[in-house]
Amino acid sequence: MCGIAGYIGNKFFKKNDISDLLGLMKNRGPNSQKYLKKEISTNNHLNFFFSRLSIIDIKKRSNQPYKFKNLTLVFNGEIYNYKELKILLKKKKYKFFTNSDTEVLIKSIHCWGVAAFKKFEGMWSIVYYDELKDKTFFCRDRFGEKPLHYLIKDKEIYFGSEIKFIEKMINFKLSINYELIRKFISFGYRCLFQTNETFFNEISRLSPATYLIINHKTGKIKNKKYWDIKKIKVKKINNEIEIIKKVKKSIIDSLKIRLRSDMPIAFCLSGGVDSNILTSFSKKILNYKVKTFSIVSKDKFYDERKNILNSVKDMKVDHEFVSFDQSKVNFLNLLTKMTDVYSQPVITPTSMLNWKLMEKIQKKKL
């Protein structure tokens, strides 16, 4: 998880403004923080802010903002199939100086343009400036795993992984989207992702599987979809043995590229099927050294300890239980803290459990 933020316009950022914003972004990436300013026309410049959580090629050479020829880029996420794309790019005479997915990403865009988005398998929010075209591009992954918010006002453009990053850059107060709050209270979290609106009227979120093109010469902004799940043709298979074989292969192939990392790997292990399949395949089939964590409650109705212990014994993984005692948690304080971090209401109660689990894992040295 990295943090990206930026501004396009004629505003000038003082040193204190830059350090304050990067300081706010540090929770998303403590390993490297950089700021880059680029003139794109008279009285119009682009500002990129980046905070890195190092996972692949953790050396300084892969820090962002990242530049290649006419492109300057910041991106949050991971391109899982970067090694496969790298092979294709090498055949097209591209040379590489890092082992990062960032370099593969920017050179893929240089090679194939926006058609590269269809080639990426991963989770991402990308913002890059093309000097030759004098255009800025925003792009978000197929299912919107990585956040990307933006605000357009009086020919100024702001963007950020978190709304508070944008709020830090503007000089006016955001207004609350009470209509969306009403929908959320009435219908729950399912109503939140039907449109690109957020809990603030001035801020939008880029829709999944979508890219935005900002033409700095004409001032025009275009929004395009590059992928649609409804257009995927599904081949029906009636043979049960073949279905099991194909599902197993798909899971293994998916794990192979998703577990690429220069850092230790950990799984959140519950008593359910999904986390057990992923952990088991990673340990038993792919031979990864796996650390697992589980959150457990004193409430017997939600206690999965027995199933988890059976799984840990079978998989022989290094496991740790994280106890959650609801009687000792100040829920109002926790809700307030989470709402402040997310700049929105807590979507589901399970988010609070996940918060406590991540809080504990963060303190561990894997």
Side-chain angles (χ1 to χ4, degrees):
M1 181 179 74
C2 298
I4 65 173
Y7 166 80
I8 303 168
N10 58 11
K11 181 183 290 186
F12 176 77
F13 289 92
K14 297 178 182 178
K15 285 185 179 181
N16 287 345
D17 299 329
I18 295 167
S19 61
D20 286 350
L21 178 53
L22 290 175
L24 187 64
M25 295 171 66
K26 198 168 185 177
N27 69 303
R28 295 190 69 91
N31 302 119
S32 169
Q33 295 183 298
K34 287 180 71 177
Y35 163 73
L36 181 143
K37 178 181 176 181
K38 190 175 184 66
E39 299 293 335
I40 56 178
S41 63
T42 306
N43 294 324
N44 199 27
H45 47 265
L46 182 145
N47 300 263
F48 277 161
F49 300 83
F50 182 75
S51 192
R52 184 185 184 194
L53 176 65
S54 303
I55 296 173
I56 296 174
D57 193 358
I58 60 177
K59 297 179 180 179
K60 290 181 180 180
R61 64 191 182 185
S62 297
N63 288 346
Q64 299 178 45
Y66 200 93
K67 294 190 283 186
F68 177 69
K69 293 190 176 180
N70 55 299
L71 303 176
T72 304
L73 171 146
V74 286
F75 117 91
N76 166 34
E78 189 174 341
I79 306 302
Y80 302 134
N81 62 332
Y82 74 100
K83 290 187 176 181
E84 290 74 16
L85 292 172
K86 194 172 188 176
I87 293 170
L88 296 178
L89 290 166
K90 281 184 175 180
K91 290 179 180 179
K92 292 181 177 290
K93 309 303 180 185
Y94 282 88
K95 294 182 179 180
F96 291 85
F97 306 96
T98 76
N99 295 321
S100 70
D101 55 340
T102 303
E103 186 180 14
V104 173
L105 170 63
I106 199 169
K107 289 179 179 178
S108 295
I109 293 171
H110 184 269
C111 180
W112 296 298
V114 294
F117 302 150
K118 292 182 180 180
K119 298 179 183 290
F120 297 149
E121 186 171 349
M123 51 179 180
W124 67 82
S125 56
I126 304 166
V127 178
Y128 70 91
Y129 173 67
D130 187 327
E131 193 172 341
L132 293 179
K133 295 180 180 179
D134 196 18
K135 294 178 180 179
T136 299
F137 296 76
F138 292 12
C139 181
R140 198 165 176 219
D141 62 72
R142 295 174 186 175
F143 297 103
E145 290 183 72
K146 291 299 178 183
L148 185 55
H149 304 92
Y150 65 93
L151 184 157
I152 301 174
K153 179 180 172 65
D154 299 330
K155 297 182 180 180
E156 291 184 311
I157 300 165
Y158 302 82
F159 68 87
S161 301
E162 297 181 20
I163 289 175
K164 64 169 61 66
F165 301 165
I166 297 174
E167 194 173 18
K168 191 72 176 177
M169 290 185 281
I170 61 178
N171 56 5
F172 57 91
K173 190 173 182 179
L174 297 172
S175 59
I176 296 172
N177 185 345
Y178 288 104
E179 178 60 20
L180 187 59
I181 291 176
R182 185 190 65 79
K183 288 180 183 177
F184 173 58
I185 293 172
S186 301
F187 306 112
Y189 69 90
R190 290 179 181 83
C191 73
L192 299 180
F193 309 106
Q194 304 300 317
T195 67
N196 68 342
E197 65 181 327
T198 70
F199 285 97
F200 296 94
N201 291 311
E202 296 84 359
I203 294 182
S204 302
R205 64 178 184 91
L206 188 64
S207 298
T210 300
Y211 65 96
L212 199 72
I213 308 173
I214 303 164
N215 189 321
H216 298 294
K217 291 180 181 177
T218 64
K220 291 183 179 180
I221 299 174
K222 292 182 180 179
N223 197 309
K224 296 186 177 182
K225 204 167 183 66
Y226 65 85
W227 184 82
D228 189 347
I229 194 170
K230 294 178 182 178
K231 294 182 180 180
I232 295 177
K233 294 181 180 180
V234 179
K235 182 182 177 182
K236 291 185 178 180
I237 303 172
N238 297 317
N239 186 302
E240 185 178 349
I241 296 174
E242 188 180 353
I243 290 171
I244 293 171
K245 185 179 178 181
K246 283 186 175 293
V247 169
K248 184 177 180 180
K249 184 181 183 303
S250 294
I251 293 172
I252 293 171
D253 290 345
S254 179
L255 281 168
K256 279 181 180 178
I257 62 173
R258 280 161 176 77
L259 295 182
R260 288 168 173 168
S261 173
D262 293 329
M263 302 299 286
I265 297 169
F267 282 89
C268 295
L269 183 66
S270 71
V273 174
D274 49 359
S275 67
N276 273 273
I277 287 175
L278 297 177
T279 308
S280 179
F281 277 32
S282 301
K283 181 69 165 59
K284 292 183 175 182
I285 298 175
L286 299 178
N287 297 314
Y288 277 96
K289 183 181 178 181
V290 174
K291 171 82 175 177
T292 55
F293 293 87
S294 303
I295 192 161
V296 287
S297 169
K298 289 185 177 181
D299 189 333
K300 293 182 179 180
F301 186 78
Y302 296 102
D303 189 7
E304 298 182 332
R305 191 186 295 264
K306 184 178 179 181
N307 287 349
I308 293 169
L309 285 171
N310 287 335
S311 298
V312 169
K313 183 179 179 181
D314 175 68
M315 294 184 285
K316 296 180 175 62
V317 292
D318 181 8
H319 182 74
E320 188 170 334
F321 282 109
V322 176
S323 297
F324 180 78
D325 186 350
Q326 56 266 39
S327 65
K328 295 181 180 179
V329 176
N330 188 319
F331 280 94
L332 183 58
N333 285 350
L334 182 57
L335 277 170
T336 302
K337 185 177 181 180
M338 291 179 69
T339 301
D340 179 60
V341 169
Y342 295 135
S343 298
Q344 66 179 28
V346 174
I347 304 300
T348 65
T350 54
S351 301
M352 302 176 77
L353 289 175
N354 188 60
W355 176 283
K356 300 301 289 186
L357 180 59
M358 293 301 114
E359 202 171 53
K360 292 285 186 180
I361 294 174
Q362 186 185 31
K363 296 175 182 178
K364 301 292 179 182
K365 290 186 178 180
L366 301 183

